[in-house]
Amino acid sequence: MVSNTLDFDVAFTTEPLTRENIFTLKEQIYTSKANYEELEKKIKALRSSISSENLTPETKKNNLILGICLWISGKQDEAFEVLNTLQSNKVACYFLGKCYQELEEYEKALDFFGRSKQANEDEFEIQVDIAETQRLSGDNQGAIKLIQKLSKGHDDEAGLHYQWAHCLDNLGEYEEALTHYNRALEINPEHPNSLFRLAYYYDLNGDDEKALEYYKKCVENAPLYTNAMINLGLMYEDNDDYEKAVSCYYAVLQSYPNHQTARLFLKDAEAGLNMRYDDDKVKKQDQETEVLNIPISDFELSVRSKNCLERMNIITLADLTKVTEYELLSYKNFGETSLTEIKNILNQKGLRLGQAVESEIFIDTDVETGIHDNNLLKSIAEIELSDDCRKTIEEMGIETISDLVAKTETELLEQDSFTQAYVDEINNQLDKLGLQLHN
């Protein structure tokens, strides 16, 4: 894993400058947004320190560092302008080659890579860059020829086998390409490019399980492999897992705040997430409506219970949720046995008596008084009432404030031993909570 601590001194003070230190710094830069901002500060400081007049050795060195920093930050055009004044410098030539390669000007890239390696004809890393540029330009056969030559002394280099595999991939020789991708991973199990190409291969061939496995491995390492993270997000979207897709695109934007593709896909994923929530809500409402519309006649009830419900014009389960336990017991011939039957039916469907009435109270309370629903969930024991008043309330089966505000004053006063003093006491306490008994 790459350290998150930036060290510009290691990369640029050590003489001579080495590509290894610079590439390590680049990896560190893209592990976080904060590191990228540090690079921007470094670029600003370098610009202000460089004189526009005579190029002293110190100015040349700062120009070289500025050009490399601009390349690291992804500003290839600006990097080219700075580095182009230092073509006699081997390191500058190398990074000019990288700029041209990324700008897809492959002939110029090959020219500058060639100049960079003139001082050391056997410099392996630059030869790999040349092979990569040949591949990118479409000269896969030329690239393979160079790679095969290099492999005689460097068969244990993961990057070389990756380039070899990619060339074969481009030529349609997929089985042999897979051999070299896997060889690269044997040498370096975290080689990001090989992990990505294998993930992409399985993705194209419809093997989602394997593709997800390799995409996940690819994005576990620093710095973030943006293409892998974006493709992983797309796969999650295909599986309707919009939460994970959104997190993938956010991760890209944390390291690359201006990544337009990630911004676009994030917007689409968030829209899909909202749509799914809406669909789930509609489905849930449809299911609830379907249950509520079940007729009472579908259930086995005693003749007395059926007759009582018919006389009360209670036809469906929805009708039952609109009446309270007290209202049922107040009806002639409706006793505890019938009440138990009704409760059992509602319990089977996840419903209860008075449920619809309570829902209306929640809505009224929220809109008209702004009181949080938490007050309605409190138990009767949490409000200040006299012992006699609380005991009388509890004997009615009222356990929460929600149960209490579902009652009217008339319903309370119809109970034996329930006095107007108790009602006044209750109203006083409910008023403190911004609540009131049902009208």
Side-chain angles (χ1 to χ4, degrees), residues 203 208 211-212 215 230-240:
D203 195 352
D208 288 357
L212 281 169
Y215 278 136
I230 286 174
N231 284 12
L232 182 58
L234 291 171
M235 289 203 72
Y236 282 135
E237 281 193 67
D238 289 342
N239 294 325
D240 294 332

Side-chain angles (χ1 to χ4, degrees), residues 424-436:
D424 293 342
E425 189 177 343
I426 289 168
N427 281 334
N428 182 46
Q429 294 303 315
L430 290 179
D431 185 59
K432 291 179 181 179
L433 299 174
L435 300 171
Q436 62 182 19

Side-chain angles (χ1 to χ4, degrees), residues 107-358:
E107 286 188 17
K108 291 181 180 178
L110 289 169
D111 176 34
F112 279 99
F113 284 142
R115 295 190 204 182
S116 177
K117 77 178 184 67
Q118 281 176 0
N120 185 353
E121 291 292 338
D122 297 324
E123 196 157 1
F124 172 75
E125 289 82 3
I126 297 177
Q127 295 276 17
V128 174
D129 280 307
I130 290 172
E132 180 182 43
T133 307
Q134 289 176 320
R135 172 179 64 78
L136 290 169
S137 70
D139 184 11
N140 291 288
Q141 295 290 1
I144 288 176
K145 185 176 179 180
L146 176 56
I147 290 166
Q148 288 173 331
K149 178 181 177 182
L150 294 171
S151 69
K152 292 176 182 177
H154 301 276
D155 191 54
D156 57 350
E157 292 286 341
L160 188 67
H161 283 280
Y162 163 73
Q163 295 296 342
W164 201 338
H166 206 154
C167 289
L168 292 166
D169 213 340
N170 292 343
L171 294 169
E173 298 177 25
Y174 303 118
E175 291 301 318
E176 196 173 349
L178 287 175
T179 299
H180 285 283
Y181 284 134
N182 286 315
R183 173 62 179 144
L185 293 176
E186 284 176 13
I187 299 166
N188 178 8
E190 296 181 355
H191 192 264
N193 291 332
S194 297
L195 288 169
F196 176 76
R197 290 301 300 180
L198 280 172
Y200 186 62
Y201 171 82
Y202 290 120
D203 195 352
L204 288 178
N205 285 276
D207 191 339
D208 288 357
E209 187 175 344
K210 279 276 192 181
L212 281 169
E213 176 189 346
Y214 280 98
Y215 278 136
K216 287 177 182 178
K217 286 181 180 178
C218 187
V219 300
E220 283 173 358
N221 305 309
L224 180 69
Y225 199 117
T226 55
N227 288 344
M229 188 63 88
I230 286 174
N231 284 12
L232 182 58
L234 291 171
M235 289 203 72
Y236 282 135
E237 281 193 67
D238 289 342
N239 294 325
D240 294 332
D241 196 341
Y242 293 103
E243 290 94 340
K244 288 183 179 178
V246 166
S247 69
C248 287
Y249 304 138
Y250 267 126
V252 173
L253 292 170
Q254 282 297 307
S255 294
Y256 303 86
N258 298 318
H259 200 292
Q260 294 303 314
T261 302
R263 286 189 179 281
L264 177 64
F265 288 174
L266 173 62
K267 185 177 179 181
D268 290 343
E270 288 177 332
L273 184 60
N274 293 333
M275 188 180 298
R276 198 197 68 191
Y277 282 151
D278 291 341
D279 289 344
D280 290 346
K281 186 177 180 181
V282 169
K283 287 177 184 177
K284 185 178 179 182
Q285 289 173 342
D286 289 345
Q287 289 170 352
E288 290 174 352
T289 301
E290 188 176 343
V291 170
L292 290 169
N293 287 334
I294 296 175
I296 302 297
S297 58
D298 283 6
F299 300 95
E300 292 185 10
L301 288 171
S302 64
V303 174
R304 173 179 288 185
S305 297
K306 283 184 178 180
N307 289 338
C308 286
L309 293 175
E310 285 178 8
R311 293 191 190 105
M312 295 175 72
N313 199 32
I314 293 175
I315 309 301
T316 65
L317 294 185
D319 296 330
L320 276 177
T321 65
K322 296 174 184 176
V323 296
T324 64
E325 183 176 322
Y326 173 76
E327 287 173 324
L328 288 177
L329 290 173
S330 299
Y331 196 80
K332 185 179 179 180
N333 297 328
F334 201 99
E336 291 290 342
T337 302
S338 296
L339 180 63
T340 300
E341 282 186 290
I342 296 300
K343 283 184 173 180
N344 287 338
I345 288 173
L346 291 174
N347 285 337
Q348 292 173 22
K349 300 299 180 181
L351 303 170
R352 67 180 186 279
L353 290 168
Q355 182 176 325
V357 177
E358 291 171 18

